[in-house]
Amino acid sequence: MPLQIIRNDITKMHVDAIVNAANRSLLGGGGVDGAIHRAAGPELLEECRTLGGCETGQAKATKGYRLPARFVIHTVGPIWEGGGNGEPELLAACYRNSLNLARELGCESIAFPMISTGVYGYPKELALPIATRTIAEFLMENEMQVYLVVFGASGLAVSLKLFHDVRQFIDQNYVDEHTDRRQEAERKALWRQDREKALKHDQMLGESIFHDLFEATPLADSAPEPAENARPNLRRPAAAGPRPTAAPPDWEKMLRQTDEGFSQMLLRLIDEKGMTDAQCYKKANVDRKLFNKIKNNPGYRPGKPTVFAFAVALELSLGETKEMLEKAGFALSRSSKMDIVLEYFIGNGLYNVLEINEVLFQFDLPLLGSAA
Ligand code: APR
């Protein structure tokens, strides 16, 4: 997944470069700046002294010294003053210039903190989309593994309205594997109001569950119609007489109609949508290596997050998404919160993988894109 949002301490990241949210002097500070200098050791400050400072929005690189990362890319975010002093453009420049510098250094992976969202006061819910969209623009033209590191308890603030809408959709639709929460709520209300009635309701519920599970069917010889309130016959019907012999299937015809596999469906839809392979897998936040594996191996079975990522990138309907999931051996499930979040976005025609990942991250659910 070229852009991953993760919870971690950036000084622990084993990547080619980590980005430091520094100040214009580049001589250290608190927050992530302080953490990076503490972890890198005094040589980092020695090298920073030679750089002559850094303008807001610009980026300069040093070695990583005692850090696991080979390089530290220092950038200076804007101080939030209400948003009217070019803060959004300067913040975007921090991400863009850091990525371009990482590419010049030959980095294949890079980790960002949420620049300016600490003491510089940039509201997280405004900073996040700037970060993810600037990174996504870079990834449309370049190959690099990018991590956006969220630190500590400070959550990732997606827009409150979107978060609330998705939370409500989950609550309305998520059912545990074997309990229907809506039905449970009705039962509880009934038990509070009228015990007698609730008891009868439970008995009826119990019978209907047994009926469904054991599909009571009349015995082979024509059993009399059960009386209105008789308990359904729970015995398995005795083996009826010799089964009528079904006509042998037309194997030839069935093989011809064998469904196309997942990868054939994916490649067909890319063509039908007039996209290039690269446009599709980049929009799906899937890396090139995984896409080539899927393309060259018709029997390849991707993970569910990857199937969803392609469904969103291709802007499929819910029906087409279900079909694509089936080809990969999955079904849209109401007992999976991730599935319900995807049903919300696809059902509402919201096809931005980055925005969906921000919400999935907020709910601690797997993100869209290739698992690798
Ligand atoms: N790993 C990852 N992220 C971290 C870490 C860490 N170890 N420590 C802090 N953060 C996060 C904060 O939670 C915040 O979301 O980094 C983000 C940026 O916060 P700050 O470090 O305060 O940086 P910023 O808001 O850009 O202010 C820069 O602070 O440290 C000084 O010298 C720095 O003057 C400059 C100013």
Side-chain angles (χ1 to χ4, degrees):
M1 197 184 300
L3 169 56
Q4 287 217 61
I5 305 172
I6 58 170
R7 262 182 226 291
N8 203 341
D9 172 347
I10 202 166
T11 63
K12 308 247 185 313
M13 295 285 294
H14 289 257
V15 287
D16 290 339
I18 61 169
V19 175
N20 179 21
N23 57 56
R24 292 175 61 216
S25 72
L26 293 188
L27 299 180
V32 71
D33 195 0
I36 288 174
H37 274 275
R38 273 193 300 279
E43 302 90 336
L44 178 60
L45 185 55
E46 290 313 307
E47 187 176 354
C48 282
R49 287 191 205 286
T50 67
L51 296 178
C54 181
E55 286 309 311
T56 301
Q58 296 306 307
K60 292 188 176 179
T62 63
K63 290 196 228 34
Y65 298 105
R66 298 176 199 170
L67 287 160
R70 286 167 53 209
F71 300 105
V72 178
I73 291 179
H74 307 265
T75 189
V76 181
I79 297 173
W80 179 253
E81 293 168 327
N85 290 2
E87 295 97 317
E89 293 72 25
L90 285 167
L91 184 61
C94 287
Y95 288 96
R96 192 177 312 112
N97 291 327
S98 300
L99 286 162
N100 289 333
L101 182 50
R103 184 187 49 206
E104 285 159 28
L105 293 167
C107 297
E108 292 179 355
S109 55
I110 183 172
F112 283 97
M114 291 285 289
I115 300 165
S116 282
T117 62
V119 294
Y120 279 6
Y122 211 113
K124 281 190 166 52
E125 68 280 6
L126 300 179
L128 179 66
I130 292 174
T132 52
R133 277 144 192 73
T134 308
I135 294 167
E137 271 162 31
F138 175 85
L139 290 174
M140 286 312 272
E141 308 302 329
N142 300 276
E143 304 286 332
M144 194 180 288
Q145 180 59 54
V146 182
Y147 297 93
L148 191 54
V149 181
V150 177
F151 186 64
S154 67
L156 189 67
V158 291
S159 88
L160 290 182
K161 169 152 183 4
L162 176 61
F163 183 79
H164 170 76
D165 290 352
V166 173
R167 155 72 68 216
Q168 207 175 28
F169 191 76
I170 291 174
D171 286 349
Q172 283 159 1
N173 293 286
Y174 176 67
V175 288
D176 296 329
E177 194 63 30
H178 296 294
T179 52
D180 175 334
R181 293 201 343 182
R182 226 192 322 268
Q183 189 185 72
E184 279 307 291
E186 284 162 11
R187 279 190 66 237
K188 287 199 179 90
L190 196 56
W191 273 98
R192 276 195 295 275
Q193 288 154 15
D194 177 337
R195 295 232 153 195
E196 212 37 49
K197 231 165 137 197
L199 202 59
K200 282 211 176 64
H201 178 73
D202 268 7
Q203 276 163 352
M204 180 275 291
L205 261 187
E207 283 163 12
S208 69
I209 289 172
F210 274 105
H211 187 279
D212 294 349
L213 286 179
F214 296 99
E215 52 199 35
T217 43
L219 294 176
D221 45 8
S222 55
E225 271 306 299
E228 205 35 44
N229 55 3
R231 288 184 65 79
N233 161 359
L234 299 183
R235 279 200 314 280
R236 292 210 171 284
R243 277 179 180 285
T245 47
D250 171 352
W251 294 114
E252 202 43 45
K253 187 160 162 273
M254 282 174 75
L255 284 174
R256 261 201 319 278
Q257 286 169 357
T258 314
D259 277 348
E260 62 186 355
F262 168 77
S263 59
Q264 290 97 319
M265 178 178 182
L266 173 63
L267 298 174
R268 170 173 62 79
L269 288 171
I270 291 175
D271 292 344
E272 286 174 8
K273 305 274 178 183
M275 296 172 88
T276 64
D277 290 354
Q279 280 169 337
C280 181
Y281 68 73
K282 285 181 177 290
K283 200 177 158 203
N285 194 29
V286 169
D287 56 34
R288 180 164 43 90
K289 286 192 289 294
L290 176 62
F291 179 80
N292 288 336
K293 221 188 277 179
I294 294 172
K295 182 173 181 179
N296 301 326
N297 173 356
Y300 186 84
R301 288 289 181 97
K304 204 173 197 180
T306 303
V307 179
F308 274 132
F310 281 118
V312 171
L314 291 161
E315 303 193 358
L316 300 187
S317 67
L318 264 185
E320 291 169 318
T321 302
K322 286 175 185 166
E323 193 189 341
M324 185 172 257
L325 284 167
E326 273 160 30
K327 305 246 184 260
F330 300 111
L332 199 59
S333 158
R334 278 289 165 87
S335 55
S336 149
K337 290 188 179 173
M338 176 182 189
D339 290 30
I340 292 173
V341 172
L342 266 295
E343 189 178 337
Y344 170 83
F345 279 97
I346 294 173
N348 286 289
L350 302 171
Y351 292 111
N352 183 320
V353 169
L354 303 171
E355 185 177 58
I356 296 171
N357 273 347
E358 289 157 17
V359 172
L360 289 170
F361 180 86
Q362 196 66 17
F363 285 103
D364 279 334
L365 295 169
L367 305 187
L368 296 191
S370 50

